[in-house]
């Protein structure tokens, strides 16, 4: 080759590489600039940020208004006009909320509550719009400016900002009607129904498309996008009557059109969360239980010597009383709903310890068998001085210890103690109190047989997340009621402490949370409380399997919607043994005479203790009322709140449907305690004149107000427990998420304990979603939050220092 030609080729290649390098550097500078701009925006005070956004919006609006009659230019002008309007309307409300938010903190060291979270979320949206407005102002004249792409993103975030403004007005309304320092609304249940009636009609799809996870740390967003694509794809397979585990697994990876169309994905996500029942969510959340996916998760987790699934036999045993170890109390096997049955639990230990390969323990191993990793060990390690009893989350309806095994293996290594994780029975097949009974039985069994688990049991910690955190607290309450050993401490990660439908500022975040939407929360609570609608199926229908049952129930649900909510309501009331206070119109008729309302709990455990929660005051009982209940109102017997002697019959509470069908008869309904749909919701007055939030296009939401009296049972909602019960709890360590709809549960529970002088700590992690423990390996932020949970457990397991002589 001629030297000149070769030199030319080399020069061309060098020039090409230089251009590519320049382009890559430009992209990196743009991304870095975006991060810096976002950080700068978050460091700005709210008023300065709003003024900067309004100035940029007006400049962009004027520019695109002068670009002629084109459709894209017109829409860009309109979207910036909308951004200006919503930002100016939102800023005073956010300023007001921020000015009083400190009154609702646990203390000055823990500045966290739902008001702060709502303001932070709105600031995130404003910051994104500010950055995007700057980008448009800088690049709008460029030939490379992608007008359509930027328009779609701006419209999505404008919709989100509009909905956030509505939530801010709701929060302002709560601030006006709540008692000082109280986050949950107490009092008029009609106002709660009004709030939910209005709230559930809001448009949500904008938060599940382009804006998905904007409030969380950037490292979480790709996971949330993958999750949303998997969810809507799973829903597509579900609609097409495709069943079987192979289809279920493959549905996660076949989201083609949803992956490239965020608006379509958001609309489908909203449809799914509003319309599909709890069986769908159970099936979707249990996808991680599929062998292929669980094997992949285990490959990426810590290798342990022991991971055994145990089946604890349903046999009564004796436990010594803490007040007098010479006396014992009988711990009976779980009985509610399905009668005596074994309780499953998984033993996880990083080292093979004494007792863990004993004949007695081997006889309890379930068919899954021992999973011993063959690593060279000279001998068995001695028994640990401590033991962790873990209770998994999953909304009381889904998942097992297998889903949580990856992070539990890491805990076993870091803590150096054995962990037993309880696989309690799940709702709706096993509603309250079955899970509580099983967890309490397994906890007592572990305390009594800790030597078989590789521990001496000197220190015991109860640890759980979400629903598991709730069960950790209630198991401790029950242990105290029985008089047996309570754990040395509790670590509860983002727990739910009240299952009432009480409005709170953090629960407003469920409008946009992809992991805890309000309608899904309602379905889980209804399933756990036993108030889910149950259809009596014949033997052929029982053979359909899980997905077949899901499809059948959904088709019945859609049929009910077509027949109208008012007729369904009359059928519901009659079949549950209650009559409407006023007769319905002559045209109303029972729609489904074969349906019945499942009892909330078994006859032996459904209602509250009369002395503790009298039936006459159930509807007006508040946290404050419970705080003044005396010790005499709580039973000292082990059967407290759980026996036939102390628990009477119960009937479902009033049911509210929030959206009224067009043919709903208004005559005489205004005075009916059951339905409040026909009068204008009082919360609408919270909106200023001229402001209209976006409404959902998904039709009527099938979501009953889950206000069954059973949810006020302190063994279901420990936040409502009287002082005398809460004083029996050991030290409680709570790790919550600032952006979690359940944040106020943690804050208010910690405040109640602190007011009683009980040892409690509350740590709140920023920018992470509910359920971060299951995402521990995802990013640095989730690893740090998980390590915080480990530190709290280690604090419980460390013996207190001996006092100086």
């Amino acid at each position: 080759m001629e030297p000149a030609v070769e030199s030319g080729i080399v020069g061309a290649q060098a020039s090409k590489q230089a251009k590519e390098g320049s382009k890559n550097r430009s992209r990196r500078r743009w991304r870095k600039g975006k991060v810096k701009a976002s950080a700068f925006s978050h460091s700005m005070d709210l008023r300065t940020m709003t003024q900067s956004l309004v100035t940029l919006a007006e400049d962009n609006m004027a520019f695109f208004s002068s670009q002629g009659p084109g459709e894209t230019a017109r829409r860009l002008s309109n979207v910036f006009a909308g951004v200006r309007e919503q930002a100016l309307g939102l800023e005073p409300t956010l300023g007001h909320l921020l000015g009083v938010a400190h009154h609702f903190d646990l203390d000055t060291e823990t500045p966290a509550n739902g008001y702060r979270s709502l303001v932070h979320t709105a600031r995130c949206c404003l910051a994104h719009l500010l950055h995007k407005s700057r980008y448009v102002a800088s690049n709008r004249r460029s030939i490379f400016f992608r007008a359509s792409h930027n328009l779609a993103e701006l419209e999505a975030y404008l919709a989100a900002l509009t909905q956030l403004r509505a939530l801010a007005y709701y929060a302002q309304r709560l601030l006006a009607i709540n008692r000082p320092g109280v986050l949950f609304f107490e009092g008029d249940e009609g106002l709660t129904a009004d709030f939910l009636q209005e709230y559930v009609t809001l448009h949500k799809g904008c938060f599940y498309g382009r804006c998905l996870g904007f409030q969380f740390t950037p490292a979480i967003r790709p996971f949330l996008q993958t999750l949303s694509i998997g969810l809507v794809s799973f829903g597509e397979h579900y609609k097409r009557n495709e069943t079987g585990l192979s289809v279920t697994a493959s549905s996660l990876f076949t989201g083609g059109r949803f992956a490239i169309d965020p608006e379509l994905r958001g609309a489908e996500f909203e449809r799914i969360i509003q319309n599909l029942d709890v069986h769908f969510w159970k099936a979707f959340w249990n996808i991680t239980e599929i062998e292929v996916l669980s094997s992949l998760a285990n490959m990426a987790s810590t290798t342990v010597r022991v991971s055994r699934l145990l089946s604890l036999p349903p046999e009564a045993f004796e436990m010594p009383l803490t007040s007098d170890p010479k006396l014992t109390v009988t711990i009976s096997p779980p009985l509610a709903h399905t009668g005596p049955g074994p309780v499953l639990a998984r033993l996880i230990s990083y080292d093979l310890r004494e007792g863990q390969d004993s004949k007695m323990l081997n006889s309890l191993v379930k068919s899954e068998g021992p999973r011993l990793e063959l690593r060279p060990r000279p001998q068995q390690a001695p028994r640990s001085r401590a033991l962790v009893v873990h209770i998994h989350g999953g909304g009381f309806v889904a998942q097992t210890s297998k889903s949580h095994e990856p992070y539990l293996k890491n805990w076993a290594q870091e803590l150096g103690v054995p962990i037993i994780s309880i696989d309690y029975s799940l709702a709706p097949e096993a509603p309250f109190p079955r899970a509580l009974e099983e967890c309490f039985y397994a906890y007592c069994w572990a305390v009594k047989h800790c030597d078989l688990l590789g521990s001496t049991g000197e220190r015991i910690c109860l640890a759980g997340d979400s629903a598991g955190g709730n069960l950790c607290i209630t198991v401790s309450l029950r242990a105290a009621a029985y008089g047996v050993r309570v754990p040395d401490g509790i670590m509860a990660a983002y727990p739910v402490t009240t299952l009432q439908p009480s409005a709170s500022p953090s629960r407003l975040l469920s409008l946009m949370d992809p992991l805890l939407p309000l309608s899904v929360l309602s379905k889980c609570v209804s399933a756990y409380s036993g108030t889910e609608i149950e259809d009596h199926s014949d033997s052929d229908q029982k053979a359909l399997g899980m997905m077949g049952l899901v499809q059948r129930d959904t088709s019945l649900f859609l049929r009910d919607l077509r027949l109208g909510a008012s007729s369904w309501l009359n059928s519901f009331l009659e079949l549950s043994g209650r009559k409407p206070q006023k007769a319905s119109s002559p045209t109303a008729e029972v729609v489904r005479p074969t349906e019945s309302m499942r009892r909330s709990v078994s006859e032996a455990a459904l209602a509250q203790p009369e002395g503790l929660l009298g039936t006459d005051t159930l509807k007006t009982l508040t946290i404050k009322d419970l705080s003044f209940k005396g010790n005499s109102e709580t039973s000292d017997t082990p059967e407290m709140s759980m026996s036939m002697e102390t628990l009477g019959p119960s009937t479902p509470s009033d049911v509210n449907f929030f959206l009224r069908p067009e043919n709903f008869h208004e005559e005489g309904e205004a005075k009916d305690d059951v339905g409040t749909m026909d009068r204008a919701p009082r919360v609408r007055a919270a909106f200023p004149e001229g402001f209209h939030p976006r409404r959902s296009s998904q039709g009527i939401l099938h979501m009953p107000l889950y206000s069954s009296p059973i949810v006020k049972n302190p063994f279901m909602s420990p936040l409502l427990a009287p002082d005398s019960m809460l004083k029996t709890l050991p030290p409680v360590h709570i790790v919550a998420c600032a952006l979690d709809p359940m944040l106020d549960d943690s804050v208010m529970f910690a405040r109640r304990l602190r007011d009683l002088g009980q040892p409690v700590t509350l740590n709140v992690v920023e920018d992470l979603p509910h359920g971060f423990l299951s995402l521990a390996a995802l990013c640095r932020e989730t690893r740090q939050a998980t390590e915080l949970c480990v530190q709290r457990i280690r604090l419980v397991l460390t013996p207190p220092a001996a006092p100086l002589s």
Side-chain angles (χ1 to χ4, degrees):
M1 184 179 292
E2 294 292 335
V5 176
E6 184 176 358
S7 176
I9 293 175
V10 172
Q13 291 176 344
S15 176
K16 182 178 180 181
Q17 292 175 355
K19 288 180 180 179
E20 290 178 352
S22 176
K23 185 183 296 184
N24 291 334
R25 285 193 297 272
S26 177
R27 289 173 180 169
R28 286 194 295 268
R29 282 196 300 269
W30 182 84
R31 293 193 187 104
K32 190 175 181 179
K34 181 176 180 180
V35 172
K36 286 184 177 180
S38 177
F40 176 73
S41 299
H42 284 289
S43 67
M44 299 169 63
D45 66 85
L46 186 62
R47 179 162 296 180
T48 302
M49 181 188 296
T50 303
Q51 291 174 346
S52 300
L53 178 58
V54 168
T55 300
L56 283 166
E58 290 174 343
D59 177 60
N60 284 321
M61 183 173 57
F63 174 82
F64 289 110
S65 296
S66 64
Q67 296 303 300
E71 176 66 13
T72 301
R74 181 188 64 80
R75 289 173 61 187
L76 281 167
S77 177
N78 289 341
V79 77
F80 281 111
V83 168
R84 178 186 181 277
E85 175 187 355
Q86 300 304 331
L88 288 173
L90 181 59
E91 188 268 331
T93 306
L94 293 181
H96 177 224
L97 296 177
L98 196 58
V100 298
H102 64 279
H103 295 297
F104 299 87
D105 296 332
L106 174 65
D107 51 42
T108 56
E109 303 298 321
T110 317
N113 59 70
Y115 293 113
R116 291 185 183 274
S117 300
L118 187 58
V119 172
H120 173 79
T121 303
R123 281 178 59 92
C124 289
C125 189
L126 288 169
H128 186 91
L129 283 168
L130 180 58
H131 170 70
K132 179 56 65 175
S133 298
R134 284 175 176 160
Y135 175 80
V136 171
S138 300
N139 296 275
R140 63 197 181 193
R141 297 180 184 276
S142 171
I143 61 173
F144 299 107
F145 179 68
R146 296 189 295 166
S148 298
H149 169 79
N150 287 282
L151 172 62
E153 188 169 354
L154 285 164
E155 287 180 335
Y157 275 90
L158 173 59
L161 189 65
T162 303
Q163 303 307 84
L164 283 167
R165 185 181 174 189
L167 296 186
Y169 287 136
Y170 286 140
Q172 198 171 40
R173 178 64 173 159
L174 289 174
L175 193 62
I177 60 180
N178 281 354
R179 291 189 294 114
V182 176
L183 290 167
F184 286 99
F185 173 71
E186 300 171 338
D188 183 5
E189 287 194 352
L191 186 58
T192 296
D194 284 343
F195 168 79
L196 291 174
Q197 174 185 346
E198 177 77 8
Y199 176 83
V200 299
T201 67
L202 291 177
H203 169 66
K204 312 164 191 65
C206 61
F207 294 111
Y208 305 134
R210 293 180 189 272
C211 303
L212 181 69
F214 73 92
Q215 69 271 39
F216 300 125
T217 184
I220 293 290
R221 296 171 195 170
F223 163 77
L224 293 177
Q225 291 175 356
T226 303
L227 178 70
S228 65
I229 294 171
L231 175 65
V232 295
S233 301
F234 187 85
E236 279 288 288
H237 286 278
Y238 176 71
K239 287 192 300 181
R240 295 171 185 169
N241 298 326
E242 296 178 352
T243 59
L245 287 180
S246 60
V247 174
T248 299
S250 66
S251 66
L252 286 178
F253 311 103
T254 56
R257 61 195 181 100
F258 297 115
I260 63 176
D261 192 338
E263 282 71 32
L264 178 64
R265 183 172 70 240
E268 180 67 6
F269 199 109
E270 182 177 8
R271 183 197 70 79
I272 287 174
I273 64 174
Q274 290 205 174
N275 295 327
L276 296 186
D277 60 19
V278 71
H279 297 285
F280 170 84
W281 294 99
K282 178 193 285 279
F284 179 71
W285 288 337
N286 283 339
I287 281 179
T288 55
E289 306 276 325
I290 296 173
E291 190 62 33
V292 174
L293 297 182
S294 63
S295 298
L296 291 174
N298 282 322
M299 287 173 61
S301 61
T302 301
T303 300
V304 297
R305 288 277 290 181
V306 180
S307 180
R308 295 180 171 184
L309 186 63
L310 309 178
S311 179
L312 311 183
E315 301 170 354
F317 56 87
E318 301 295 315
M319 287 280 289
L321 295 178
T322 54
S323 58
D324 186 354
K326 296 179 181 179
L327 302 177
T328 62
V329 62
T330 301
I331 306 299
S332 301
L335 298 174
H337 299 294
T338 56
V343 179
L344 301 182
R346 183 178 299 277
L347 174 63
I348 298 174
S349 180
Y350 182 70
D351 294 309
L352 178 61
R353 297 184 177 274
E354 292 180 14
Q356 293 178 345
D357 62 347
S358 62
K359 291 182 179 180
M360 183 174 179
L361 190 71
N362 287 335
S363 68
L364 301 178
V365 173
K366 197 171 169 58
S367 57
E368 183 186 60
R371 293 158 64 183
L372 301 181
E373 303 294 339
L374 299 178
R375 291 182 294 142
R377 293 284 179 182
Q379 59 183 2
Q380 293 181 1
R383 289 185 174 91
S384 168
R385 297 172 60 184
L387 176 69
V388 173
V389 180
H390 173 263
I391 307 177
H392 68 81
F396 303 104
V397 303
Q399 300 192 336
T400 67
S401 61
K402 193 173 184 180
S403 308
H404 297 248
E405 189 177 10
Y407 73 78
L408 290 178
K409 288 181 175 181
N410 294 335
W411 286 10
Q413 179 185 21
E414 294 182 37
L415 294 169
V417 302
I419 299 173
I420 183 166
S421 182
I422 304 168
D423 282 345
Y424 54 90
S425 296
L426 303 171
E429 294 79 11
F432 178 87
R434 182 73 190 196
L436 175 59
E437 289 183 357
E438 292 185 356
C439 290
F440 175 67
Y441 179 83
Y443 163 77
C444 291
W445 187 93
V447 172
K448 184 176 180 66
H449 300 92
C450 58
D451 58 322
L452 297 179
L453 304 176
S455 171
T456 61
E458 296 176 39
R459 304 287 295 181
I460 295 179
C461 176
L462 261 178
D465 68 308
S466 191
N470 173 289
L471 289 168
C472 285
I473 296 169
T474 54
V475 164
S476 297
L477 290 174
R478 200 172 192 205
Y482 268 72
V484 300
R485 176 182 176 178
V486 297
D488 296 286
I490 298 171
M491 194 291 294
Y494 39 87
V496 52
T497 62
T498 175
L499 301 184
Q500 285 197 110
S502 302
S504 86
S506 75
R507 292 193 176 188
L508 294 173
L509 299 175
S510 62
L511 185 78
M512 69 194 75
D513 195 293
L515 301 176
L516 285 180
L518 177 64
S519 58
V520 178
L521 286 174
S522 172
K523 293 176 176 70
C524 292
V525 172
S526 295
Y528 185 53
S529 62
T531 55
E532 187 196 35
I533 305 302
E534 190 175 57
D535 182 61
H536 297 292
S537 57
D538 56 29
S539 57
D540 292 335
Q541 290 174 322
K542 291 179 180 178
L544 289 173
M546 174 60 70
M547 292 304 298
L549 291 172
V550 175
Q551 293 152 6
R552 181 208 64 195
D553 291 345
T554 302
S555 64
L556 292 175
F557 154 68
L558 294 174
R559 187 185 72 179
D560 288 344
L561 288 183
R562 290 194 297 270
L563 292 173
S566 61
S567 295
W568 192 94
L569 177 59
N570 282 284
S571 171
F572 176 93
L573 293 172
E574 291 177 7
L575 290 170
S576 61
R578 303 184 59 168
K579 299 291 184 180
Q581 294 183 4
K582 186 165 183 175
S584 304
S585 63
T587 58
E589 60 183 10
V590 176
V591 177
R592 294 176 63 182
T594 60
E595 277 193 355
S596 65
M597 189 68 179
R598 173 188 287 161
R599 303 289 291 181
S600 294
V601 193
S602 65
E603 288 295 332
L606 192 147
Q608 273 63 296
E610 294 222 5
L612 177 63
L613 298 174
T615 55
D616 293 337
T617 60
L618 278 172
K619 291 195 174 184
T620 58
L621 202 59
T622 66
I623 298 173
K624 182 178 179 182
D625 297 329
L626 285 165
S627 298
F628 291 103
K629 296 287 182 182
N631 291 348
S632 62
E633 295 184 303
T634 60
S635 172
D636 293 329
T637 64
E639 291 79 9
M640 179 179 180
S641 180
M642 291 295 167
S643 69
M644 178 70 80
E645 291 76 19
T646 59
L647 300 181
S650 173
T651 56
S653 70
D654 293 343
V655 177
N656 288 268
F657 291 84
F658 310 118
L659 298 182
R660 179 179 59 183
E662 293 179 0
N663 62 347
F664 189 86
H665 297 281
E666 299 185 7
E667 182 179 69
E669 297 285 347
K671 297 180 181 180
D672 194 330
D673 289 338
V674 176
T676 59
M677 298 173 290
D678 51 325
R679 55 188 171 83
R682 283 167 281 182
V683 290
R684 281 186 180 164
F687 293 157
E689 185 177 356
F691 174 70
H692 302 287
R694 305 190 181 197
R695 300 295 174 184
S696 174
S697 61
Q698 296 299 324
I700 297 174
L701 175 60
H702 185 75
M703 190 187 77
L705 179 64
Y706 44 90
S707 58
S708 171
I710 193 64
V711 302
K712 296 181 180 180
N713 188 311
F715 290 98
M716 184 180 280
S717 296
L719 180 61
L720 303 180
D723 293 352
S724 56
M725 291 181 66
L726 293 182
K727 287 180 179 179
T728 65
L729 287 175
V732 177
H733 303 281
I734 302 173
V735 180
C737 306
L739 301 179
D740 183 1
M742 299 291 105
L743 170 64
D744 290 339
D745 291 56
S746 297
V747 175
M748 287 303 297
F749 192 68
R751 290 182 67 174
R752 280 211 66 195
L753 292 177
R754 181 161 294 182
D755 289 344
L756 294 172
Q758 290 291 104
V760 60
T761 65
L762 173 64
N763 296 91
V764 181
V765 298
E766 303 289 338
D767 302 331
L768 291 180
H770 185 93
F772 65 76
L773 280 176
S774 296
L775 310 176
L778 192 62
C779 62
R780 175 177 54 86
E781 291 83 355
T782 53
R783 287 192 294 271
Q784 290 175 344
T786 303
E787 177 57 30
L788 179 60
C789 295
V790 173
Q791 291 174 8
R792 299 295 94 182
I793 297 174
R794 187 178 285 114
L795 188 63
V796 174
L797 300 182
T798 303
L804 298 176
S805 57

